[in-house]
Amino acid sequence: MSLIVQKYGGTSVASIACMMHVARKIKATQSAGHDVVVVVSAMGDETDRLEGLAFQITEQPMAREMDVLLATGEQVSIALLSMALQSIGCAAKSYTGFQVGIHTDTAHTRARIEHIEEAKIREDLERGFVVVVAGFQGIDANGNITTLGRGGSDTTAVALAATLKADECQIYTDVDGVYTADPRMVPDARRMPRVTFDEMLEMASLGAQVLQIRAVEFAGKYNVPLRVLSTFKEGSGTLITFEEKGMEQPIVSGLAFSREEAKLIIRGVPDKPGIAGQILGPISEAHIEVDMIIQNLGDDGNTDFTFTVHRRDYDRARAILEKIDKELNAKGILGDAKIAKVSLVGVGMRSHAGIASTMFEVLGKEGINIQLISTSEIKVSVVVDEKYLELGVRTLHEAFRLHEEPYEEDYEHRLRA
Ligand code: ASP
Ligand code: MG
């Protein structure tokens, strides 16, 4: 007998009709012979609504009270879902984070799970219950209710799956898997039957926002097979696992993009030790995260120093740079907030040189200028003018034939084996 943890997000339990649908899915899983632990989020936009109420009182509500408030959303869901299960003849029992024993640190509104008690869940499963656990919440050592940060139910599900050594952690959501590119931009983007944790982390941080990044990291760390599936559409979704030795990998698995970047250049800074630190030190002290960094030597012995930040930090970063420009007696600041980053991701790239050059050629043929480049073992990213984003993404998707199913049969075969 296997144990499956299923997580249903807010849109999956947004109404009683949705809850009944979810209940039938859970019952079917149990009838197929699995033990099932379910994690649920608050209904629809309930968490936003609750936050809104708090902000009507004060701009800075106490974090402790915020947690008490926000945790109510999930408590409603677990009770209703358990009732829904019972109404169709499926024995179920709901637990808040406190009741089941999800112990966290004391960092209100962004707590980290420290450990989870197993005994009660095991006992209930043995007696044939579906165990329904509130996502996103826990309890600290002093008995205070804590929450894990927005979107935290994914993390609850993965943590439970890790603790219980579940065979799979299934994240049910409103998309039916992870795609080779955002299907809203690339109509023939293809659902990937499986991706590795490393690829998923690259895709997630680059804008393919299907799963909470923290949950993917957690699952990778504890080796929990994670599957993303749709609540409303049948299918096997996307399985996120470790790379299997000997498994054939598509060279490029997917394509991610982000419009959230901005570029800053400080021109004509002296080419000597310590300068990069002098420029980026104040930026990091202001808690501004830097993504790509490029420095090139001009023929006058000075260098231009370029980096990218999140667009929301652009003005702040620019103001800091203006100061540094004066201190270093540099040649001024240039900036551009209308850029986009496009990345090819694939573990198969490790063993294949030439992906980057093919990418550059393809973009060049379309007349798309590449402003910045960065690479890692499994990724090549370029920054281009935002107005070329769609063209670039579509052209690359086509050129790397991501719409074709490379090893689909192979995957399915292996999954069944
Ligand atoms: N209900 C919480 C939120 O909306 C947690 C979650 O949905 O995962 O952020
Ligand atoms: Mg939610």
Side-chain angles (χ1 to χ4, degrees):
M1 168 141 0
S2 59
L3 170 61
I4 294 182
V5 174
Q6 296 189 332
K7 180 255 170 177
Y8 291 93
T11 50
S12 303
V13 293
S15 65
I16 296 301
C18 292
M19 291 248 186
M20 291 307 302
H21 174 73
V22 164
R24 285 189 290 271
K25 287 182 81 76
I26 295 167
K27 189 182 181 190
T29 310
Q30 198 194 37
S31 303
H34 304 293
D35 281 341
V36 192
V37 174
V38 180
V39 173
V40 246
S41 296
M43 295 173 75
D45 297 328
E46 176 65 5
T47 311
D48 292 336
R49 188 186 72 87
L50 294 169
E51 258 184 6
L53 292 177
F55 289 131
Q56 281 180 42
I57 298 172
T58 163
E59 258 172 45
Q60 283 176 322
M62 293 276 292
R64 181 187 181 280
E65 305 315 323
M66 204 60 175
D67 279 349
V68 174
L69 176 69
L70 296 193
T72 62
E74 273 70 13
Q75 184 168 344
V76 170
S77 300
I78 53 168
L80 290 174
L81 184 58
S82 299
M83 290 176 199
L85 282 160
Q86 289 152 9
S87 79
I88 56 169
C90 187
K93 221 170 177 181
S94 67
Y95 289 103
T96 62
F98 166 62
Q99 290 174 307
V100 83
I102 298 183
H103 299 276
T104 72
D105 62 16
T106 57
H108 284 293
T109 74
R110 52 187 166 82
R112 300 206 153 253
I113 295 177
E114 283 173 345
H115 82 105
I116 298 181
E117 290 171 34
E118 273 186 75
K120 224 180 293 179
I121 303 178
R122 294 259 182 232
E123 208 174 289
D124 283 338
L125 290 174
E126 242 154 66
R127 291 168 54 205
F129 285 98
V130 167
V131 178
V132 183
V133 180
F136 170 62
Q137 56 180 258
I139 192 92
D140 75 7
N142 302 315
N144 296 301
I145 292 176
T146 52
T147 64
L148 308 180
R150 295 303 306 269
S153 299
D154 286 355
T155 300
T156 305
V158 171
L160 268 169
T163 303
L164 299 167
K165 302 195 175 49
D167 295 275
E168 199 166 285
C169 180
Q170 303 178 337
I171 308 285
Y172 281 92
T173 175
D174 46 5
V175 297
D176 66 342
V178 183
Y179 277 69
T180 50
D182 187 336
R184 283 168 299 188
M185 188 177 289
V186 185
D188 61 356
R190 188 177 43 81
R191 181 179 56 82
M192 295 185 277
R194 78 193 286 165
V195 286
T196 69
F197 285 115
D198 288 340
E199 287 171 327
M200 190 60 217
L201 287 173
E202 293 287 3
M203 305 278 289
S205 60
L206 294 168
Q209 288 148 351
V210 198
L211 272 173
Q212 216 199 12
I213 298 179
R214 183 172 153 201
V216 180
E217 278 168 356
F218 206 134
K221 191 165 157 200
Y222 293 97
N223 199 5
V224 177
L226 201 56
R227 193 185 287 276
V228 180
L229 311 113
S230 163
T231 307
F232 305 104
K233 199 172 144 195
E234 287 299 314
S236 53
T238 297
L239 180 66
I240 307 157
T241 51
F242 280 110
E243 199 177 339
E244 279 168 28
K245 276 228 170 63
M247 184 166 97
E248 248 193 304
Q249 290 286 352
I251 298 170
V252 175
S253 298
L255 213 163
F257 63 85
S258 153
R259 290 177 213 267
E260 269 141 41
E261 322 253 322
K263 177 175 82 168
L264 286 151
I265 306 171
I266 174 162
R267 294 184 51 237
V269 296
D271 178 31
K272 56 177 206 214
I275 293 292
Q278 257 182 51
I279 297 171
L280 291 182
I283 297 282
S284 91
E285 271 156 37
H287 300 285
I288 297 174
E289 261 185 58
V290 170
D291 180 20
M292 295 183 178
I293 304 169
I294 281 161
Q295 181 184 307
N296 33 346
L297 194 57
D299 36 15
D300 57 355
N302 285 330
T303 77
D304 290 345
F305 192 92
T306 306
F307 59 94
T308 59
V309 295
H310 195 284
R311 222 174 260 188
R312 68 165 175 252
D313 295 327
Y314 177 69
D315 289 337
R316 276 201 309 139
R318 189 164 179 139
I320 294 169
L321 273 196
E322 302 283 359
K323 268 218 275 188
I324 300 170
D325 176 58
K326 293 212 181 73
E327 282 164 25
L328 294 178
N329 203 9
K331 297 199 183 108
I333 311 299
L334 296 174
D336 187 353
K338 287 202 162 29
I339 58 165
K341 181 164 80 172
V342 182
S343 309
L344 291 176
V345 178
V347 289
M349 277 185 203
R350 282 196 199 113
S351 50
H352 283 80
I355 297 296
S357 57
T358 309
M359 180 184 195
F360 305 157
E361 269 167 39
V362 169
L363 293 172
K365 273 198 201 121
E366 289 297 326
I368 300 174
N369 186 41
I370 298 169
Q371 302 182 8
L372 303 170
I373 299 166
S374 80
T375 63
S376 80
E377 256 200 321
I378 66 162
K379 167 190 92 166
V380 186
S381 303
V382 298
V383 162
V384 299
D385 189 319
E386 189 182 16
K387 68 175 180 254
Y388 295 124
L389 174 62
E390 300 215 14
L391 177 65
V393 167
R394 290 204 184 112
T395 312
L396 288 170
H397 198 271
E398 168 96 43
F400 283 93
R401 311 178 79 83
L402 296 181
H403 53 285
E404 288 174 8
E405 320 223 333
Y407 307 112
E408 177 92 23
E409 272 185 55
D410 218 37
Y411 283 140
E412 299 297 352
H413 177 73
R414 279 163 209 274
L415 289 183
R416 259 181 270 121

